[in-house]
């Protein structure tokens, strides 16, 4: 369910389509933070801009906290069953799950609902099967599978189109077929299973919790990508307005400020399900009873799958009645889990850090080295994945590439070019230079963090730590552990040198690391 690659450019073709069937609503993060924009026909252009700029933040797009808080205690008791009752009323067959709730850790927000087993389950049992009529996909939103597939080729991503559609649909409030689903997603407010929103919605001060981590730059880059997609929304409207003709509202950028779109986009991103073995127009879906109501777990193999005319979940482990149901979120590192879903899995076997090495372009032998690198399956700028628990293997994989960068004698370079395989003549002093560069790199990366590993441990021992600060500290601690493991592996290679006291060779054109 990794959706990071969806921020590339897309194209929206103007092809007439019939009014689509009932539409779904947005995932969990975009109601109680954002203002409600009145459901009215578009006023004159000069007034439309003003109405967006001065809209009150006291209300929400659908059902905000003030409206919800006004409900009677009796209605609150029935809330948990609302979504499931609505699903059964519209075709959901009998299933083996119930909706339960857990309190919000910070106490500021309403409890989070989750899907739990209604009875004891065994591995291989079908927990639930949601009919396609209750699943939101692009072919359904756009009413035409061909258009949906064309859409994925240029300016806008699937996520942006789903977010746009859901924002317009959401403005219909209780008139929307999907109102119960929307209300549930709004209640979640984009919070992950740790009750934390994606860092894409954190304040600048909160993003500082990630200082020293490459994840902070990834967050800023993703946010910039969302803004680029927002700037293309009016193109969608004018090129394919017929697709949204049932919504008598302003054009996208006048109907929705960027912050609302960003919230909706992040909500879709955190709840999307990546279906396998279906057409491109159906591969990304919003599934009631799916995320955010299902928790993610990296060692789980259960996935929501498309079967005939439904999306079903077959559990991969036994559950006792009342236990929360978990699904697999794909082979994603913790940085991606935090960015997409707002949580970190400390037992994630797919966690990794990245080391980027590049040949020095000022090297007179750069072109020859580039050719040798390509011959051995590497690039002039090569990204190495360092997987948790396999740090020493990653260092071993990097060494031939780095040794190539250290070759300076033309005769040695000729020998390398004529040899087969990634073999470079290695003297003890050259090997020491390569290993010393790795040591310096890992120490530099560790020094960029404002806290040490020990300080992170002490911080996480505080039971009152802010949830966002806690999840950030968990991420940083795991990154530092991998960097320390890389450093230890490098020292082990140094200790195996014939004479580890030898001075490193000079390297006028050493490869670059970052």
């Amino acid at each position: 369910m990794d959706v990071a690659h969806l921020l590339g450019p897309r194209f929206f073709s103007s092809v007439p389509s019939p009014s689509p069937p009932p539409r779904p609503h947005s995932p969990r993060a975009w109601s109680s933070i954002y203002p409600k924009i009145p459901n009215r026909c578009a006023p004159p252009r000069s007034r439309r801009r003003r109405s967006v700029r001065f809209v009150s933040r006291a209300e929400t797009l659908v059902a905000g906290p003030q409206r919800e808080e006004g409900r009677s205690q009796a209605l609150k008791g029935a809330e948990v069953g609302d979504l499931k009752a609505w699903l059964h009323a519209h075709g959901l067959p009998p299933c083996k799950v119930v909706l339960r709730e857990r309190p919000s850790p910070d106490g500021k927000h309403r409890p989070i609902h989750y899907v739990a087993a209604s009875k004891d389950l065994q591995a291989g049992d079908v927990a639930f099967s949601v009919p396609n009529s209750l699943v939101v996909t692009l072919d359904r939103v756009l009413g035409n599978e061909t258009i949906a597939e064309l859409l994925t080729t240029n300016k806008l991503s699937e996520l942006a189109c789903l977010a746009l559609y859901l924002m317009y649909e959401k403005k219909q409030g209780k008139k929307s077929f999907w109102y119960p689903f929307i209300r549930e997603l709004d209640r979640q407010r984009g919070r992950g299973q740790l009750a934390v929103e994606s860092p894409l919605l954190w304040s600048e001060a909160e993003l500082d919790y990630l200082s020293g981590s490459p994840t902070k730059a990834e967050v800023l880059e993703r946010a910039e990508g969302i803004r680029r997609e927002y700037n293309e929304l009016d193109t969608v409207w004018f090129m394919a307005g017929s697709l949204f003709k049932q919504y008598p509202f302003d054009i996208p950028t006048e109907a929705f400020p960027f912050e609302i779109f960003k919230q909706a986009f992040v909500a879709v991103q955190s709840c999307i399900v990546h279906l396998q073995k279906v057409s491109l127009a159906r591969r990304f879906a919003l599934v009631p009873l799916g995320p955010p109501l299902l928790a993610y777990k990296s060692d789980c193999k259960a996935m929501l799958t498309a079967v005939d005319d439904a999306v079903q979940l077959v559990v991969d482990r036994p559950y006792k009645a009342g236990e929360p149901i978990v699904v697999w979120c794909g082979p994603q590192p913790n940085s991606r889990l935090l960015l997409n879903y707002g949580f970190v899995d400390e037992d994630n076997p797919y966690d990794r850090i990245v080391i980027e090495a590049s040949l020095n372009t000022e090297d007179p032998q750069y072109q020859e080295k580039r050719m040798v690198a390509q011959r051995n399956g590497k690039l002039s700028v090569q990204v190495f994945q360092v997987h948790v628990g396999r740090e020493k293997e990653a260092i071993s994989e990097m060494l031939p590439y780095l040794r190539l960068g250290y070759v300076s004698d033309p005769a040695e370079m000729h020998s390398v070019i004529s040899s087969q395989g990634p073999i470079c003549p290695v003297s003890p002093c050259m090997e020491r230079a390569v290993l010393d560069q790795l040591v310096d790199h890992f120490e530099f990366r560790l020094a960029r963090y404002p806290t040490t590993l020990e300080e992170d441990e002490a911080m996480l021992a505080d039971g009152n730590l802010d949830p966002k600060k806690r999840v950030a500290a968990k991420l940083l601690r795991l990154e530092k552990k991998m960097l320390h493991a890389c450093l230890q592996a490098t020292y082990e290679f140094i200790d195996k040198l014939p004479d580890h006291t030898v001075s490193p060779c000079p390297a006028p054109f050493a490869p670059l690391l970052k």
Side-chain angles (χ1 to χ4, degrees), residues 159-430:
L159 299 191
C161 291
L162 286 172
L164 176 61
Y165 162 70
L166 293 174
M167 287 190 297
Y168 277 112
E169 180 74 16
K170 185 172 187 176
K171 290 178 74 171
Q172 298 189 75
K174 292 183 179 181
K175 295 179 181 179
S176 170
F177 172 79
W178 302 98
Y179 177 73
F181 184 33
I182 294 165
R183 182 177 56 186
E184 184 61 48
L185 295 171
D186 283 344
R187 180 192 179 101
Q188 301 298 110
R189 301 182 70 256
R191 295 173 290 171
Q193 57 204 60
L194 299 178
V196 175
E197 297 167 334
S198 164
L200 289 164
L201 301 177
W202 293 8
S203 68
E204 187 175 337
E206 289 167 339
L207 277 179
D208 285 342
Y209 299 156
L210 298 171
S211 292
S213 170
T215 305
K216 184 175 180 179
E218 291 179 32
V219 172
L220 297 174
E221 183 180 356
R222 180 79 66 87
E224 217 24 67
I226 296 174
R227 182 172 288 279
R228 286 194 297 271
E229 297 228 51
Y230 174 76
N231 292 336
E232 295 291 343
L233 293 182
D234 289 354
T235 303
V236 175
W237 183 266
F238 290 120
M239 294 181 67
S242 61
L243 299 177
F244 298 98
K245 64 185 178 183
Q246 69 271 36
Y247 304 112
F249 307 118
D250 296 357
I251 63 174
T253 57
E254 296 191 358
F256 307 106
F258 170 69
E259 287 303 320
I260 288 180
F261 173 73
K262 180 180 177 182
Q263 181 81 359
F265 188 101
V266 172
V268 171
Q269 171 185 271
S270 65
C271 302
I272 206 77
V273 174
H274 193 176
L275 298 176
Q276 307 293 321
K277 300 179 181 178
V278 296
S279 65
L280 290 177
R282 293 190 57 220
R283 60 180 176 171
F284 295 105
L286 294 173
V287 184
L289 298 183
L293 300 174
L294 290 172
Y296 293 116
K297 195 167 179 59
S298 296
D299 66 355
C300 177
K301 294 302 178 186
M303 297 178 65
L304 287 164
T305 55
V307 179
D308 297 327
D309 295 325
V311 175
Q312 72 175 21
L313 176 65
V314 178
V315 297
D316 70 332
R317 62 192 66 192
Y319 290 92
K320 295 292 185 183
E323 289 184 341
I325 305 292
V326 297
V327 294
W328 189 41
C329 47
Q332 301 183 57
N334 279 318
S335 59
R336 194 62 56 77
L337 295 181
L338 179 60
L339 183 58
N340 289 339
Y341 316 116
F343 80 98
V344 168
D345 187 348
E346 296 186 84
D347 299 317
N348 185 359
Y350 306 100
D351 203 12
R352 62 182 182 267
I353 58 175
V354 170
I355 299 173
E356 183 181 287
S358 57
L359 299 173
N360 194 325
T361 55
E362 297 180 2
D363 188 341
Q365 301 181 101
Y366 169 75
Q367 292 298 339
E368 289 86 349
K369 292 180 180 181
R370 181 170 171 266
M371 178 189 68
V372 172
Q374 289 179 338
R375 189 176 67 190
N376 289 283
K378 298 292 188 290
L379 303 173
S380 56
V381 178
Q382 179 65 39
V383 173
F384 292 92
Q385 307 281 352
V386 182
H387 294 268
V388 62
R390 302 204 296 269
E391 292 85 359
K392 191 170 184 178
E393 295 175 28
I395 300 300
S396 297
E397 182 189 359
M398 293 176 62
L399 287 177
Y401 185 90
L402 296 179
R403 290 168 184 152
L404 174 64
Y406 272 80
V407 174
S408 57
D409 185 273
E412 290 181 349
M413 192 66 234
H414 178 75
S415 174
V416 171
I417 293 173
S418 60
S419 66
Q420 297 297 319
I423 305 300
C424 290
V426 179
S427 64
C429 79
M430 178 190 287

Side-chain angles (χ1 to χ4, degrees), residues 20 32 59 63 82 88 108 110 151 168 180 242 245 293 299 374 411 415 430 455 466 487 489:
S32 55
E59 296 182 82
D82 282 352
H88 284 304
K108 297 177 182 177
R110 305 178 67 204
L151 175 65
Y168 277 112
S242 61
K245 64 185 178 183
L293 300 174
D299 66 355
Q374 289 179 338
S415 174
M430 178 190 287
E455 288 170 334
D466 175 81
L487 196 56

Side-chain angles (χ1 to χ4, degrees), residues 434-462:
V434 170
L435 295 171
D436 277 1
Q437 184 181 11
L438 282 172
V439 168
D440 290 343
H441 172 73
F442 297 131
E443 289 182 342
F444 171 75
R445 287 182 63 165
L446 285 167
R448 288 191 306 183
Y449 293 99
T451 58
T452 64
L453 194 53
E454 293 73 19
E455 288 170 334
D456 291 340
E457 299 283 1
M459 188 187 307
L460 290 169
D462 180 3

